[in-house]
Amino acid sequence: MRKRFKNLIIIPFLLFFALPVDAIEKEERSWQDESIYFIMVDRFNNGDTNNDFEVNPIDSKSYNGGDFKGITDKLDYIKEMGFTSIWLTPVFDNEANGYHGYWIQDFYKTEEHFGTLEEFKTLVKEAHDRDIKVILDFVVNHVGPNHPWVNEEAKKSWFHDKQPITNWNSQEEVENNWLFDLPDLNTENPETRTYLFDAAKWWIEETDVDGYRLDTVKHVPKEFWTEFASEVKSVKEDFYLLGEVWHNDLRVVAAYQDTGIDGFVDFPQNEHLRTSFSKPNTSLGWLFASLDRNQAFYDRPELLGTFMDNHDMTRFTREILQYKHDPVVRWKLAMTYLFTAPGIPIVYYGSEIVLDGGEDPDNRRMMKFDGDDELISYIAKLGELRKVHPSLTRGKLELLHEENGVAIYSKQHKQETMIIAINNTTKTQSIKIDSNFGENKKLVSVLNELEIKDRDQTFNLELTAEKADIYLVADHTGLQTSTKIWIGVGVTGFILLSLVIWRKTKKV
Protein backbone atom coordinates (compact mmCIF):
# COMPACT_ATOMS: atom_id res chain seq x y z
CA MET A 1 0.00 0.00 0.00
CA ARG A 2 2.78 2.41 0.92
CA LYS A 3 4.60 1.63 -2.32
CA ARG A 4 1.44 2.44 -4.32
CA PHE A 5 1.12 5.83 -2.58
CA LYS A 6 4.80 6.51 -3.18
CA ASN A 7 4.37 5.92 -6.91
CA LEU A 8 1.29 8.16 -7.01
CA ILE A 9 3.25 10.98 -5.41
CA ILE A 10 6.19 10.67 -7.82
CA ILE A 11 4.13 10.63 -11.03
CA PRO A 12 2.95 14.31 -10.90
CA PHE A 13 6.53 15.46 -10.39
CA LEU A 14 7.67 13.39 -13.38
CA LEU A 15 4.94 15.03 -15.45
CA PHE A 16 6.11 18.48 -14.31
CA PHE A 17 9.74 17.88 -15.23
CA ALA A 18 8.73 16.29 -18.53
CA LEU A 19 7.51 19.70 -19.72
CA PRO A 20 9.63 21.36 -22.44
CA VAL A 21 12.57 23.27 -20.99
CA ASP A 22 11.66 26.52 -22.75
CA ALA A 23 8.17 26.37 -21.23
CA ILE A 24 9.45 26.87 -17.67
CA GLU A 25 12.78 28.58 -18.20
CA LYS A 26 12.85 32.35 -18.63
CA GLU A 27 15.21 33.80 -21.22
CA GLU A 28 18.05 36.01 -20.07
CA ARG A 29 17.06 39.68 -19.92
CA SER A 30 18.19 41.79 -22.86
CA TRP A 31 18.00 45.51 -23.65
CA GLN A 32 15.30 44.87 -26.23
CA ASP A 33 13.09 43.67 -23.37
CA GLU A 34 13.27 47.04 -21.60
CA SER A 35 10.68 49.79 -21.38
CA ILE A 36 11.99 53.22 -20.39
CA TYR A 37 10.40 55.94 -18.27
CA PHE A 38 12.04 59.27 -19.15
CA ILE A 39 12.38 61.80 -16.31
CA MET A 40 13.45 65.43 -16.29
CA VAL A 41 14.94 65.45 -12.79
CA ASP A 42 13.92 69.01 -11.84
CA ARG A 43 10.31 68.53 -12.93
CA PHE A 44 9.40 65.15 -11.45
CA ASN A 45 9.13 65.18 -7.65
CA ASN A 46 10.47 67.35 -4.83
CA GLY A 47 11.58 64.90 -2.18
CA ASP A 48 13.94 67.15 -0.22
CA THR A 49 13.20 70.83 0.36
CA ASN A 50 16.67 71.32 1.88
CA ASN A 51 18.14 71.64 -1.62
CA ASP A 52 15.56 74.16 -2.86
CA PHE A 53 18.05 76.94 -3.52
CA GLU A 54 16.15 79.86 -5.12
CA VAL A 55 13.53 77.44 -6.42
CA ASN A 56 10.54 79.04 -8.15
CA PRO A 57 7.81 76.49 -9.00
CA ILE A 58 5.78 79.02 -11.00
CA ASP A 59 8.67 79.99 -13.30
CA SER A 60 9.08 77.42 -16.08
CA LYS A 61 12.63 78.64 -16.78
CA SER A 62 13.83 78.24 -13.19
CA TYR A 63 14.47 75.29 -10.94
CA ASN A 64 11.13 73.87 -9.77
CA GLY A 65 12.39 71.57 -7.01
CA GLY A 66 12.64 68.03 -8.40
CA ASP A 67 15.54 66.00 -7.02
CA PHE A 68 17.13 62.55 -6.55
CA LYS A 69 15.20 61.92 -3.35
CA GLY A 70 11.95 62.68 -5.16
CA ILE A 71 12.70 60.08 -7.83
CA THR A 72 13.80 57.52 -5.24
CA ASP A 73 10.51 58.02 -3.41
CA LYS A 74 8.57 57.25 -6.61
CA LEU A 75 10.48 54.17 -7.80
CA ASP A 76 7.65 51.90 -6.67
CA TYR A 77 5.21 54.05 -8.67
CA ILE A 78 7.41 53.58 -11.76
CA LYS A 79 7.83 49.85 -11.17
CA GLU A 80 4.08 49.33 -10.67
CA MET A 81 3.54 50.80 -14.15
CA GLY A 82 5.75 48.04 -15.49
CA PHE A 83 8.73 50.12 -16.54
CA THR A 84 12.08 48.34 -16.33
CA SER A 85 14.42 51.31 -16.87
CA ILE A 86 14.54 55.03 -16.17
CA TRP A 87 16.35 57.65 -18.25
CA LEU A 88 17.33 60.81 -16.39
CA THR A 89 18.27 64.19 -17.86
CA PRO A 90 21.87 65.21 -16.98
CA VAL A 91 22.60 65.22 -13.25
CA PHE A 92 25.92 67.10 -13.45
CA ASP A 93 26.56 70.48 -11.84
CA ASN A 94 24.99 73.15 -14.05
CA GLU A 95 25.06 76.92 -14.43
CA ALA A 96 22.37 79.15 -12.93
CA ASN A 97 18.94 78.31 -14.38
CA GLY A 98 20.30 75.14 -15.96
CA TYR A 99 17.35 73.21 -14.50
CA HIS A 100 17.27 70.96 -17.60
CA GLY A 101 20.84 69.76 -16.99
CA TYR A 102 22.36 70.57 -20.38
CA TRP A 103 24.45 73.62 -19.31
CA ILE A 104 27.17 71.60 -17.62
CA GLN A 105 29.60 73.36 -15.32
CA ASP A 106 31.41 70.38 -13.77
CA PHE A 107 31.37 66.83 -15.12
CA TYR A 108 32.40 65.34 -11.75
CA LYS A 109 29.83 66.95 -9.46
CA THR A 110 26.08 66.57 -9.07
CA GLU A 111 23.80 69.57 -9.44
CA GLU A 112 23.19 70.94 -5.94
CA HIS A 113 19.47 71.40 -6.61
CA PHE A 114 19.19 67.66 -7.27
CA GLY A 115 21.16 66.36 -4.30
CA THR A 116 24.52 64.88 -3.41
CA LEU A 117 26.53 62.17 -5.12
CA GLU A 118 25.63 59.83 -2.25
CA GLU A 119 21.94 60.53 -2.81
CA PHE A 120 22.36 59.72 -6.48
CA LYS A 121 24.12 56.46 -5.60
CA THR A 122 21.19 55.65 -3.32
CA LEU A 123 18.80 56.30 -6.20
CA VAL A 124 20.72 53.90 -8.46
CA LYS A 125 20.92 51.22 -5.75
CA GLU A 126 17.24 51.48 -4.89
CA ALA A 127 16.39 51.25 -8.60
CA HIS A 128 18.57 48.16 -9.00
CA ASP A 129 16.94 46.59 -5.94
CA ARG A 130 13.68 46.83 -7.89
CA ASP A 131 15.25 45.45 -11.10
CA ILE A 132 15.07 48.91 -12.69
CA LYS A 133 18.03 49.97 -14.81
CA VAL A 134 19.28 53.57 -14.83
CA ILE A 135 20.24 55.43 -18.01
CA LEU A 136 21.99 58.76 -17.59
CA ASP A 137 21.97 61.59 -20.13
CA PHE A 138 25.56 62.37 -21.13
CA VAL A 139 26.64 65.47 -23.08
CA VAL A 140 30.00 65.76 -24.88
CA ASN A 141 29.23 68.34 -27.56
CA HIS A 142 29.17 71.46 -25.41
CA VAL A 143 29.28 73.00 -21.94
CA GLY A 144 27.27 75.78 -20.29
CA PRO A 145 27.18 79.21 -21.99
CA ASN A 146 29.34 80.85 -19.30
CA HIS A 147 31.74 78.04 -18.56
CA PRO A 148 35.10 79.35 -17.16
CA TRP A 149 37.08 77.09 -19.49
CA VAL A 150 36.12 79.33 -22.42
CA ASN A 151 38.26 82.15 -21.03
CA GLU A 152 41.19 79.99 -19.91
CA GLU A 153 44.21 80.29 -22.18
CA ALA A 154 45.24 76.71 -21.32
CA LYS A 155 41.84 75.45 -22.49
CA LYS A 156 41.64 77.49 -25.70
CA SER A 157 42.28 74.43 -27.87
CA TRP A 158 39.44 72.60 -26.10
CA PHE A 159 36.88 74.60 -28.08
CA HIS A 160 36.00 75.31 -31.68
CA ASP A 161 35.86 78.93 -32.79
CA LYS A 162 32.63 80.68 -31.91
CA GLN A 163 30.34 80.85 -34.93
CA PRO A 164 26.70 79.86 -35.44
CA ILE A 165 25.40 77.00 -37.56
CA THR A 166 23.98 78.66 -40.67
CA ASN A 167 23.99 75.73 -43.09
CA TRP A 168 22.47 72.63 -41.50
CA ASN A 169 23.34 70.59 -44.59
CA SER A 170 27.04 71.18 -43.95
CA GLN A 171 28.35 68.44 -41.66
CA GLU A 172 31.43 70.52 -40.97
CA GLU A 173 29.29 73.34 -39.57
CA VAL A 174 27.04 70.95 -37.67
CA GLU A 175 30.06 69.38 -35.95
CA ASN A 176 32.24 72.45 -35.39
CA ASN A 177 30.00 75.49 -34.94
CA TRP A 178 28.25 76.49 -31.73
CA LEU A 179 24.77 75.02 -31.24
CA PHE A 180 22.46 77.69 -29.77
CA ASP A 181 25.54 79.72 -28.74
CA LEU A 182 26.79 76.93 -26.48
CA PRO A 183 30.61 76.59 -26.36
CA ASP A 184 31.39 73.72 -28.72
CA LEU A 185 33.95 71.24 -27.37
CA ASN A 186 36.74 70.29 -29.74
CA THR A 187 36.46 66.52 -29.40
CA GLU A 188 39.29 66.04 -31.92
CA ASN A 189 41.67 67.44 -29.28
CA PRO A 190 43.32 64.49 -27.42
CA GLU A 191 43.12 66.27 -24.04
CA THR A 192 39.42 67.00 -24.47
CA ARG A 193 38.72 63.44 -25.56
CA THR A 194 40.60 61.96 -22.62
CA TYR A 195 38.75 64.23 -20.17
CA LEU A 196 35.35 63.20 -21.54
CA PHE A 197 36.25 59.49 -21.69
CA ASP A 198 37.52 59.55 -18.12
CA ALA A 199 34.41 61.37 -16.86
CA ALA A 200 32.10 58.89 -18.63
CA LYS A 201 33.95 55.92 -17.13
CA TRP A 202 34.08 57.53 -13.68
CA TRP A 203 30.29 57.78 -13.43
CA ILE A 204 29.91 54.10 -14.33
CA GLU A 205 32.56 52.99 -11.83
CA GLU A 206 31.34 55.32 -9.09
CA THR A 207 27.56 54.92 -9.39
CA ASP A 208 26.96 51.70 -11.40
CA VAL A 209 24.61 53.29 -13.94
CA ASP A 210 23.57 50.97 -16.78
CA GLY A 211 23.58 53.16 -19.86
CA TYR A 212 23.98 56.59 -21.41
CA ARG A 213 21.59 58.49 -23.60
CA LEU A 214 24.02 60.40 -25.81
CA ASP A 215 22.97 63.98 -26.53
CA THR A 216 23.54 65.75 -29.90
CA VAL A 217 25.29 62.79 -31.55
CA LYS A 218 25.36 64.28 -35.06
CA HIS A 219 27.24 67.34 -33.75
CA VAL A 220 30.25 65.18 -32.85
CA PRO A 221 32.51 63.27 -35.31
CA LYS A 222 31.86 59.56 -35.73
CA GLU A 223 35.47 58.76 -34.84
CA PHE A 224 34.94 60.17 -31.36
CA TRP A 225 31.87 58.00 -30.77
CA THR A 226 33.68 54.86 -31.85
CA GLU A 227 36.37 55.43 -29.26
CA PHE A 228 33.86 56.59 -26.65
CA ALA A 229 31.81 53.38 -27.03
CA SER A 230 34.92 51.24 -26.69
CA GLU A 231 36.04 53.09 -23.56
CA VAL A 232 32.75 52.94 -21.63
CA LYS A 233 32.07 49.31 -22.54
CA SER A 234 35.50 48.37 -21.22
CA VAL A 235 34.09 49.27 -17.78
CA LYS A 236 30.69 47.56 -18.10
CA GLU A 237 30.19 45.10 -20.94
CA ASP A 238 26.40 45.26 -21.25
CA PHE A 239 26.37 49.06 -21.05
CA TYR A 240 23.66 50.48 -23.32
CA LEU A 241 24.28 53.52 -25.52
CA LEU A 242 21.20 55.28 -26.91
CA GLY A 243 22.09 57.97 -29.42
CA GLU A 244 20.13 61.11 -30.24
CA VAL A 245 20.55 61.85 -33.93
CA TRP A 246 17.72 64.33 -34.44
CA HIS A 247 16.91 63.90 -38.09
CA ASN A 248 13.85 62.65 -39.96
CA ASP A 249 15.95 60.94 -42.63
CA LEU A 250 16.52 57.38 -41.46
CA ARG A 251 19.69 57.13 -43.58
CA VAL A 252 21.33 59.96 -41.63
CA VAL A 253 20.56 58.25 -38.32
CA ALA A 254 21.62 54.78 -39.49
CA ALA A 255 24.98 56.15 -40.66
CA TYR A 256 26.07 56.24 -36.99
CA GLN A 257 25.33 52.59 -36.17
CA ASP A 258 28.90 51.44 -36.91
CA THR A 259 30.26 53.69 -34.14
CA GLY A 260 29.41 51.26 -31.36
CA ILE A 261 26.24 53.10 -30.31
CA ASP A 262 23.68 50.36 -29.67
CA GLY A 263 20.43 52.08 -30.57
CA PHE A 264 19.01 55.43 -31.55
CA VAL A 265 16.00 57.51 -30.63
CA ASP A 266 13.71 56.82 -33.59
CA PHE A 267 12.84 60.33 -34.78
CA PRO A 268 11.82 59.23 -38.32
CA GLN A 269 9.13 56.90 -36.94
CA ASN A 270 8.03 59.45 -34.33
CA GLU A 271 6.71 61.72 -37.07
CA HIS A 272 4.44 58.91 -38.32
CA LEU A 273 3.38 57.95 -34.80
CA ARG A 274 2.14 61.41 -33.97
CA THR A 275 0.34 61.75 -37.29
CA SER A 276 -1.32 58.34 -36.99
CA PHE A 277 -2.57 58.51 -33.41
CA SER A 278 -3.33 62.19 -32.75
CA LYS A 279 -6.74 61.81 -34.42
CA PRO A 280 -8.96 58.91 -35.54
CA ASN A 281 -9.71 57.70 -39.07
CA THR A 282 -6.05 58.05 -40.01
CA SER A 283 -4.14 55.37 -41.88
CA LEU A 284 -1.55 53.34 -39.96
CA GLY A 285 0.24 52.31 -43.13
CA TRP A 286 3.22 54.62 -42.70
CA LEU A 287 4.05 53.01 -39.36
CA PHE A 288 4.62 49.64 -40.96
CA ALA A 289 6.45 51.15 -43.91
CA SER A 290 8.73 52.78 -41.35
CA LEU A 291 9.30 49.41 -39.65
CA ASP A 292 10.23 47.86 -42.98
CA ARG A 293 12.76 50.62 -43.58
CA ASN A 294 14.22 50.14 -40.11
CA GLN A 295 14.62 46.44 -40.86
CA ALA A 296 16.43 47.25 -44.09
CA PHE A 297 18.78 49.95 -42.75
CA TYR A 298 19.63 48.91 -39.18
CA ASP A 299 21.57 45.90 -37.99
CA ARG A 300 19.61 45.85 -34.71
CA PRO A 301 16.30 47.70 -35.21
CA GLU A 302 14.97 46.12 -32.01
CA LEU A 303 17.29 48.41 -30.02
CA LEU A 304 15.80 51.65 -31.38
CA GLY A 305 13.99 53.85 -28.87
CA THR A 306 10.40 54.52 -29.95
CA PHE A 307 8.50 57.44 -28.44
CA MET A 308 5.55 59.81 -28.80
CA ASP A 309 7.15 62.97 -27.41
CA ASN A 310 10.03 64.26 -25.31
CA HIS A 311 11.38 67.37 -23.57
CA ASP A 312 12.28 69.08 -26.86
CA MET A 313 8.92 68.93 -28.62
CA THR A 314 5.27 69.74 -28.01
CA ARG A 315 3.64 67.09 -25.88
CA PHE A 316 1.54 64.55 -27.74
CA THR A 317 -1.39 65.41 -25.47
CA ARG A 318 -1.37 68.99 -26.83
CA GLU A 319 -1.63 67.70 -30.39
CA ILE A 320 -4.61 65.49 -29.46
CA LEU A 321 -6.37 68.38 -27.72
CA GLN A 322 -5.85 70.62 -30.73
CA TYR A 323 -7.91 68.10 -32.72
CA LYS A 324 -10.49 68.09 -29.87
CA HIS A 325 -10.21 64.38 -29.06
CA ASP A 326 -10.01 62.42 -25.82
CA PRO A 327 -6.31 62.16 -24.82
CA VAL A 328 -6.77 58.95 -22.81
CA VAL A 329 -8.40 57.16 -25.76
CA ARG A 330 -5.72 58.29 -28.19
CA TRP A 331 -2.85 57.56 -25.78
CA LYS A 332 -4.13 54.01 -25.22
CA LEU A 333 -3.94 53.27 -28.93
CA ALA A 334 -0.48 54.80 -29.21
CA MET A 335 0.80 52.94 -26.15
CA THR A 336 -0.52 49.63 -27.49
CA TYR A 337 1.55 50.10 -30.61
CA LEU A 338 4.67 51.31 -28.75
CA PHE A 339 4.63 48.36 -26.35
CA THR A 340 4.04 45.69 -29.01
CA ALA A 341 5.93 46.89 -32.09
CA PRO A 342 9.70 46.38 -32.48
CA GLY A 343 11.84 48.77 -30.44
CA ILE A 344 12.25 49.93 -26.86
CA PRO A 345 9.29 52.10 -25.79
CA ILE A 346 10.28 55.39 -24.14
CA VAL A 347 7.53 57.21 -22.22
CA TYR A 348 8.10 60.82 -21.15
CA TYR A 349 7.10 61.50 -17.54
CA GLY A 350 3.53 62.76 -17.20
CA SER A 351 2.27 60.99 -20.32
CA GLU A 352 0.48 58.53 -18.03
CA ILE A 353 -1.67 61.38 -16.68
CA VAL A 354 -1.99 62.99 -20.15
CA LEU A 355 0.07 65.99 -19.03
CA ASP A 356 -0.35 68.87 -21.48
CA GLY A 357 2.39 71.18 -22.75
CA GLY A 358 3.35 73.33 -25.73
CA GLU A 359 6.82 74.29 -26.87
CA ASP A 360 9.83 74.25 -24.52
CA PRO A 361 9.65 75.02 -21.60
CA ASP A 362 5.87 74.51 -21.37
CA ASN A 363 6.39 70.83 -22.21
CA ARG A 364 8.40 70.50 -18.96
CA ARG A 365 5.68 71.16 -16.42
CA MET A 366 5.95 69.76 -12.90
CA MET A 367 4.64 66.22 -12.55
CA LYS A 368 1.38 65.63 -10.67
CA PHE A 369 0.53 62.45 -8.80
CA ASP A 370 -3.16 62.98 -8.15
CA GLY A 371 -4.59 62.47 -11.63
CA ASP A 372 -6.89 59.85 -13.13
CA ASP A 373 -5.29 56.40 -13.09
CA GLU A 374 -7.13 54.93 -16.11
CA LEU A 375 -4.16 55.29 -18.44
CA ILE A 376 -1.72 54.37 -15.65
CA SER A 377 -3.53 51.04 -15.21
CA TYR A 378 -3.48 50.41 -18.95
CA ILE A 379 0.26 51.08 -19.20
CA ALA A 380 0.82 48.77 -16.22
CA LYS A 381 -1.05 46.01 -18.04
CA LEU A 382 1.03 46.51 -21.19
CA GLY A 383 4.22 46.49 -19.14
CA GLU A 384 3.25 43.24 -17.46
CA LEU A 385 2.42 41.65 -20.82
CA ARG A 386 5.89 42.52 -22.14
CA LYS A 387 7.42 40.70 -19.18
CA VAL A 388 5.21 37.61 -19.48
CA HIS A 389 5.10 37.23 -23.26
CA PRO A 390 8.56 37.31 -24.92
CA SER A 391 7.00 37.44 -28.39
CA LEU A 392 6.02 41.07 -27.69
CA THR A 393 9.66 42.10 -27.20
CA ARG A 394 11.53 39.52 -29.30
CA GLY A 395 9.01 38.29 -31.81
CA LYS A 396 9.11 38.71 -35.57
CA LEU A 397 6.34 41.03 -36.77
CA GLU A 398 4.05 40.05 -39.63
CA LEU A 399 1.42 42.48 -40.89
CA LEU A 400 -1.86 40.57 -41.35
CA HIS A 401 -4.20 43.43 -42.22
CA GLU A 402 -3.85 47.18 -42.74
CA GLU A 403 -6.60 49.21 -44.34
CA ASN A 404 -8.54 52.41 -43.63
CA GLY A 405 -7.21 52.97 -40.14
CA VAL A 406 -7.30 49.35 -38.95
CA ALA A 407 -4.14 47.32 -38.44
CA ILE A 408 -3.69 43.72 -37.30
CA TYR A 409 -0.27 42.17 -36.90
CA SER A 410 1.29 39.12 -35.28
CA LYS A 411 4.43 38.75 -33.16
CA GLN A 412 5.92 35.26 -33.10
CA HIS A 413 8.79 33.99 -30.94
CA LYS A 414 9.60 30.29 -30.59
CA GLN A 415 6.28 28.57 -29.76
CA GLU A 416 4.39 31.73 -28.82
CA THR A 417 2.30 33.91 -31.13
CA MET A 418 0.46 37.09 -30.21
CA ILE A 419 -2.03 39.02 -32.37
CA ILE A 420 -2.33 42.80 -31.95
CA ALA A 421 -5.38 44.58 -33.37
CA ILE A 422 -5.71 48.37 -33.48
CA ASN A 423 -8.92 50.07 -34.62
CA ASN A 424 -7.98 53.69 -35.26
CA THR A 425 -11.45 54.55 -36.59
CA THR A 426 -14.65 55.90 -35.08
CA LYS A 427 -16.68 52.84 -36.10
CA THR A 428 -16.76 49.21 -34.95
CA GLN A 429 -14.92 47.08 -37.46
CA SER A 430 -15.39 43.40 -38.30
CA ILE A 431 -12.21 41.96 -39.77
CA LYS A 432 -11.51 38.39 -40.82
CA ILE A 433 -7.98 37.03 -40.76
CA ASP A 434 -6.77 33.64 -41.94
CA SER A 435 -5.95 31.07 -39.28
CA ASN A 436 -2.40 30.15 -40.29
CA PHE A 437 -1.20 29.36 -36.79
CA GLY A 438 -1.73 25.60 -36.79
CA GLU A 439 -4.74 23.35 -36.40
CA ASN A 440 -7.45 23.70 -33.78
CA LYS A 441 -6.44 27.12 -32.46
CA LYS A 442 -8.26 29.98 -30.75
CA LEU A 443 -7.47 33.59 -29.86
CA VAL A 444 -7.60 34.57 -26.20
CA SER A 445 -7.60 38.28 -25.39
CA VAL A 446 -5.02 39.06 -22.70
CA LEU A 447 -6.77 42.37 -22.01
CA ASN A 448 -10.36 41.18 -21.46
CA GLU A 449 -10.21 37.32 -21.60
CA LEU A 450 -12.52 37.19 -24.64
CA GLU A 451 -12.05 34.03 -26.74
CA ILE A 452 -12.39 33.85 -30.52
CA LYS A 453 -12.76 30.41 -32.09
CA ASP A 454 -11.46 29.34 -35.46
CA ARG A 455 -14.33 29.15 -37.97
CA ASP A 456 -13.61 27.75 -41.41
CA GLN A 457 -9.90 28.51 -41.06
CA THR A 458 -10.56 32.16 -40.20
CA PHE A 459 -10.85 34.31 -37.10
CA ASN A 460 -13.54 36.99 -37.07
CA LEU A 461 -12.39 39.98 -34.98
CA GLU A 462 -14.99 42.48 -33.80
CA LEU A 463 -13.01 45.62 -33.01
CA THR A 464 -14.64 48.42 -31.01
CA ALA A 465 -14.15 51.96 -32.29
CA GLU A 466 -10.89 53.57 -31.14
CA LYS A 467 -9.85 50.49 -29.19
CA ALA A 468 -7.03 47.99 -29.37
CA ASP A 469 -6.76 44.38 -28.28
CA ILE A 470 -4.00 41.82 -27.85
CA TYR A 471 -4.62 38.11 -28.32
CA LEU A 472 -2.65 35.00 -27.49
CA VAL A 473 -2.88 32.16 -30.02
CA ALA A 474 -3.75 29.11 -27.91
CA ASP A 475 -4.80 25.50 -28.42
CA HIS A 476 -8.54 25.14 -28.75
CA THR A 477 -8.41 21.90 -26.78
CA GLY A 478 -5.88 20.61 -24.32
CA LEU A 479 -4.25 22.40 -21.46
CA GLN A 480 -1.75 25.21 -21.37
CA THR A 481 1.62 24.62 -19.70
CA SER A 482 0.71 26.78 -16.71
CA THR A 483 -2.52 24.81 -16.29
CA LYS A 484 -0.61 21.53 -16.38
CA ILE A 485 1.71 22.79 -13.66
CA TRP A 486 -1.13 23.81 -11.37
CA ILE A 487 -2.94 20.53 -11.97
CA GLY A 488 0.27 18.71 -11.08
CA VAL A 489 0.58 20.71 -7.88
CA GLY A 490 -3.09 20.09 -7.07
CA VAL A 491 -2.86 16.35 -7.69
CA THR A 492 0.26 16.15 -5.55
CA GLY A 493 -1.46 18.01 -2.72
CA PHE A 494 -4.51 15.73 -2.97
CA ILE A 495 -2.35 12.61 -2.81
CA LEU A 496 -0.40 13.89 0.19
CA LEU A 497 -3.64 14.73 1.97
CA SER A 498 -5.02 11.26 1.16
CA LEU A 499 -1.84 9.68 2.53
CA VAL A 500 -2.20 11.57 5.81
CA ILE A 501 -5.89 10.51 6.14
CA TRP A 502 -5.03 6.91 5.29
CA ARG A 503 -2.36 6.76 7.99
CA LYS A 504 -4.70 8.22 10.59
CA THR A 505 -7.43 5.77 9.57
CA LYS A 506 -4.98 2.87 9.83
CA LYS A 507 -3.96 3.89 13.36
CA VAL A 508 -7.61 3.97 14.41
Side-chain angles (χ1 to χ4, degrees):
M1 186 69 177
R2 287 184 179 181
K3 184 176 181 181
R4 185 187 304 170
F5 269 100
K6 182 179 179 182
N7 289 336
L8 287 172
I9 292 170
I10 292 174
I11 288 172
F13 286 97
L14 292 176
L15 289 172
F16 175 83
F17 288 108
L19 292 169
V21 174
D22 60 356
I24 58 175
E25 189 173 301
K26 188 174 178 64
E27 293 177 273
E28 185 178 351
R29 183 174 171 183
S30 169
W31 275 102
Q32 72 190 82
D33 302 319
E34 303 300 314
S35 56
I36 301 173
Y37 189 71
F38 171 33
I39 298 171
M40 176 161 280
V41 179
D42 179 63
R43 301 300 163 89
F44 188 61
N45 186 38
N46 190 343
D48 183 5
T49 56
N50 292 319
N51 55 37
D52 288 356
F53 310 112
E54 298 181 3
V55 162
N56 187 353
I58 63 173
D59 184 355
S60 59
K61 293 186 177 182
S62 296
Y63 284 95
N64 282 193
D67 48 37
F68 301 145
K69 179 67 165 53
I71 298 172
T72 304
D73 290 345
K74 293 296 182 180
L75 286 174
D76 287 335
Y77 166 81
I78 295 168
K79 183 176 177 62
E80 286 167 5
M81 280 193 290
F83 290 102
T84 60
S85 298
I86 53 175
W87 154 25
L88 308 179
T89 47
V91 301
F92 316 121
D93 182 37
N94 262 241
E95 291 187 14
N97 294 325
Y99 70 91
H100 42 68
Y102 295 95
W103 292 351
I104 296 173
Q105 183 89 351
D106 191 327
F107 282 87
Y108 284 91
K109 292 182 180 179
T110 56
E111 169 52 47
E112 63 176 353
H113 290 86
F114 301 160
T116 65
L117 179 61
E118 289 305 313
E119 287 174 318
F120 181 71
K121 289 180 181 180
T122 298
L123 165 56
V124 175
K125 182 184 181 303
E126 290 292 329
H128 287 170
D129 287 346
R130 293 164 174 79
D131 291 325
I132 296 174
K133 296 181 179 180
V134 180
I135 301 169
L136 195 56
D137 216 315
F138 202 86
V139 186
V140 304
N141 177 67
H142 55 263
V143 292
N146 302 300
H147 200 290
W149 287 351
V150 177
N151 298 316
E152 289 183 22
E153 187 62 31
K155 294 286 196 298
K156 187 175 181 180
S157 61
W158 281 43
F159 296 93
H160 292 123
D161 293 337
K162 183 177 181 179
Q163 47 189 335
I165 301 173
T166 57
N167 180 8
W168 285 88
N169 293 318
S170 168
Q171 190 59 27
E172 182 179 358
E173 282 197 32
V174 169
E175 290 181 3
N176 298 328
N177 294 9
W178 290 24
L179 178 67
F180 305 131
D181 279 338
L182 295 171
D184 195 83
L185 287 167
N186 178 13
T187 51
E188 297 95 320
N189 182 323
E191 288 184 2
T192 313
R193 292 167 82 97
T194 299
Y195 178 90
L196 293 169
F197 295 157
D198 288 347
K201 291 188 288 186
W202 184 85
W203 279 93
I204 303 170
E205 294 165 343
E206 193 71 19
T207 69
D208 197 29
V209 291
D210 304 287
Y212 285 142
R213 179 267 190 183
L214 304 173
D215 187 61
T216 54
V217 166
K218 70 179 180 181
H219 295 273
V220 178
K222 294 184 178 72
E223 295 75 21
F224 173 89
W225 292 121
T226 301
E227 194 172 349
F228 181 92
S230 176
E231 290 283 340
V232 298
K233 291 184 179 184
S234 70
V235 179
K236 197 170 186 177
E237 187 176 357
D238 191 36
F239 199 78
Y240 178 60
L241 295 177
L242 176 66
E244 180 215 34
V245 181
W246 195 339
H247 206 290
N248 286 335
D249 188 337
L250 173 149
R251 293 167 296 183
V252 174
V253 182
Y256 288 84
Q257 66 180 328
D258 293 332
T259 62
I261 298 175
D262 301 294
F264 299 89
V265 184
D266 196 349
F267 282 98
Q269 187 175 188
N270 172 259
E271 182 180 7
H272 301 309
L273 282 166
R274 292 176 70 106
T275 299
S276 297
F277 290 117
S278 56
K279 58 184 183 297
N281 302 313
T282 304
S283 171
L284 303 176
W286 276 107
L287 294 178
F288 299 96
S290 177
L291 291 179
D292 289 341
R293 285 171 60 82
N294 284 349
Q295 196 69 37
F297 280 88
Y298 291 104
D299 296 330
R300 305 239 10 224
E302 70 275 10
L303 294 181
L304 296 173
T306 56
F307 69 108
M308 297 305 300
D309 56 13
N310 64 23
H311 57 319
D312 290 324
M313 59 177 61
T314 300
R315 281 193 178 262
F316 180 54
T317 296
R318 172 61 59 90
E319 195 164 333
I320 298 169
L321 292 173
Q322 287 175 340
Y323 288 116
K324 302 186 185 308
H325 291 292
D326 185 341
V328 173
V329 171
R330 304 311 303 166
W331 264 111
K332 281 185 176 181
L333 292 172
M335 290 292 191
T336 304
Y337 177 85
L338 279 185
F339 278 71
T340 60
I344 302 172
I346 301 173
V347 178
Y348 187 32
Y349 82 94
S351 299
E352 70 271 25
I353 58 167
V354 296
L355 192 62
D356 187 19
E359 298 292 337
D360 164 19
D362 188 43
N363 57 356
R364 303 168 179 180
R365 297 179 187 180
M366 198 69 184
M367 176 63 181
K368 300 176 181 178
F369 294 95
D370 56 356
D372 187 354
D373 64 355
E374 180 181 351
L375 185 55
I376 293 175
S377 298
Y378 191 78
I379 294 171
K381 181 65 175 178
L382 293 175
E384 181 62 26
L385 290 175
R386 281 177 66 88
K387 295 175 184 177
V388 174
H389 298 288
S391 59
L392 294 181
T393 60
R394 303 186 177 209
K396 180 181 179 182
L397 185 147
E398 180 182 354
L399 184 59
L400 305 177
H401 175 92
E402 189 284 306
E403 187 177 9
N404 299 328
V406 179
I408 302 172
Y409 52 96
S410 66
K411 296 290 293 295
Q412 192 272 328
H413 178 68
K414 294 186 177 180
Q415 303 303 313
E416 181 183 81
T417 302
M418 306 289 284
I419 306 294
I420 299 90
I422 300 175
N423 181 3
N424 195 34
T425 76
T426 51
K427 295 181 179 179
T428 297
Q429 303 286 341
S430 179
I431 307 294
K432 291 183 178 181
I433 60 172
D434 292 335
S435 174
N436 297 322
F437 313 111
E439 296 182 0
N440 210 20
K441 298 291 184 181
K442 64 181 177 180
L443 302 185
V444 181
S445 170
V446 292
L447 295 180
N448 58 35
E449 298 183 358
L450 174 72
E451 290 191 4
I452 301 175
K453 298 178 181 179
D454 178 346
R455 296 186 182 277
D456 299 324
Q457 298 300 306
T458 62
F459 291 115
N460 187 18
L461 276 61
E462 293 290 332
L463 307 177
T464 306
E466 293 187 79
K467 296 280 188 180
D469 211 339
I470 303 172
Y471 305 93
L472 173 67
V473 177
D475 293 333
H476 192 274
T477 58
L479 299 174
Q480 298 297 310
T481 297
S482 58
T483 307
K484 291 177 182 177
I485 293 172
W486 282 111
I487 288 177
V489 172
V491 170
T492 302
F494 175 79
I495 293 171
L496 290 173
L497 179 61
S498 299
L499 179 59
V500 171
I501 295 173
W502 174 76
R503 283 179 174 175
K504 288 183 177 181
T505 304
K506 188 176 180 182
K507 287 179 181 179
V508 173

